[in-house]
């Protein structure tokens, strides 16, 4: 997963291991996440979003199913595959 914008500026790459949780603290601002995995022929997905103070946003990838999801405060889970 790559995160750009906000306090990540031009981007920072995070390697997410299976069955783990990675917590990122971000300052309020506009961000873009790009998720990718080579599993099962590959999956790529991206999403622009804005974070305000106190929000908790969840995101996860299921590379075996080639799916990526995010959930924003008070909203249902959305699939973000491109």
């Amino acid at each position: 997963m790559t995160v750009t914008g906000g306090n990540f500026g031009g981007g920072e790459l995070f390697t997410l291991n299976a069955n783990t949780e990675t917590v990122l603290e971000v300052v309020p601002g506009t961000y873009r996440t790009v998720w990718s995995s080579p599993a099962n022929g590959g999956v790529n997905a991206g999403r622009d979003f804005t974070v305000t103070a106190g929000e908790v946003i969840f995101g996860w990838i299921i590379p075996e199913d080639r799916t990526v999801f995010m959930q924003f405060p008070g909203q249902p889970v959305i699939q973000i595959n491109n």
Side-chain angles (χ1 to χ4, degrees):
M1 175 182 75
T2 302
V3 180
T4 57
N7 57 312
F8 293 102
E12 191 167 333
L13 175 66
F14 296 89
T15 300
L16 307 174
N17 296 312
N19 299 313
T20 63
E21 182 177 291
T22 301
V23 176
L24 303 176
E25 290 188 32
V26 299
V27 298
T30 300
Y31 293 86
R32 176 162 183 79
T33 56
V34 176
W35 303 76
S36 62
S37 171
N40 286 347
V43 60
N44 289 295
R47 169 85 184 210
D48 294 319
F49 58 96
T50 300
V51 175
T52 58
E55 286 188 319
V56 176
I57 299 169
F58 295 97
W60 62 97
I61 184 170
I62 305 172
E64 300 81 9
D65 295 338
R66 302 179 68 200
T67 55
V68 179
F69 301 92
M70 290 184 84
Q71 184 174 24
F72 297 90
Q75 302 294 318
V77 172
I78 56 170
Q79 187 172 341
I80 62 166
N81 292 40
N82 293 347

